[in-house]
């Protein structure tokens, strides 16, 4: 089985880890840097996947709804996130107040491969989308 290695934050012209096909700085990079807020639930979910892939706990905490934000958030440096597949969405558009995104995120750890399948719930407060919670193995 090939070794799965994640690179550090992509350079200015590098592809976004979320797999959108867009350049990182024009995709999730602007959300992780705080230059912009994700306008839809799916874009926030993609940026949160990218934050997991890059080990950016600050972005994860800042986009987590305060009612469900855990006291501790420990990212495992031995987990390499290497692919995201958006399965479906329900609401979550720029004028919605709530939304759901179902996704599969693929990872490697300790020479083994795994998959996280989740249906995440999001809520928009003001202009910002926030992650509320999710059902794993949706």
């Amino acid at each position: 089985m090939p070794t799965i290695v994640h690179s550090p934050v992509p350079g200015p012209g590098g592809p976004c880890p979320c797999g959108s096909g867009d350049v990182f700085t024009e995709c999730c990079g602007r959300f992780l840097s705080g230059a912009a807020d994700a306008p839809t639930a799916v874009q926030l979910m993609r940026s949160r996947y990218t934050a997991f892939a890059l080990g950016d706990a600050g972005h994860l905490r800042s986009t987590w709804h305060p009612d469900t934000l855990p006291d501790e958030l420990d990212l495992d440096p031995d987990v390499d996130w290497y692919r995201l597949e958006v399965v479906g969405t329900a609401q979550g558009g720029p004028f919605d107040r709530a939304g759901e995104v179902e996704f599969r995120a693929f990872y490697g750890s300790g020479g083994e491969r795994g998959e996280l399948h989740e249906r995440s719930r999001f809520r928009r407060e003001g202009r910002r989308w926030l992650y509320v919670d999710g059902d794993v193995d949706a």
Side-chain angles (χ1 to χ4, degrees), residues 23-64:
V23 173
F24 172 70
T25 54
E26 296 172 14
C27 190
C28 295
R30 60 197 168 123
F31 307 135
L32 271 66
S33 72
D37 290 325
T40 66
V42 73
Q43 285 175 301
L44 179 61
M45 191 279 310
R46 285 183 171 282
S47 76
R48 288 177 55 83
Y49 168 84
T50 297
F52 273 105
L54 300 177
D56 186 343
H59 179 69
L60 294 169
R61 291 187 67 76
S62 72
T63 58
W64 210 310

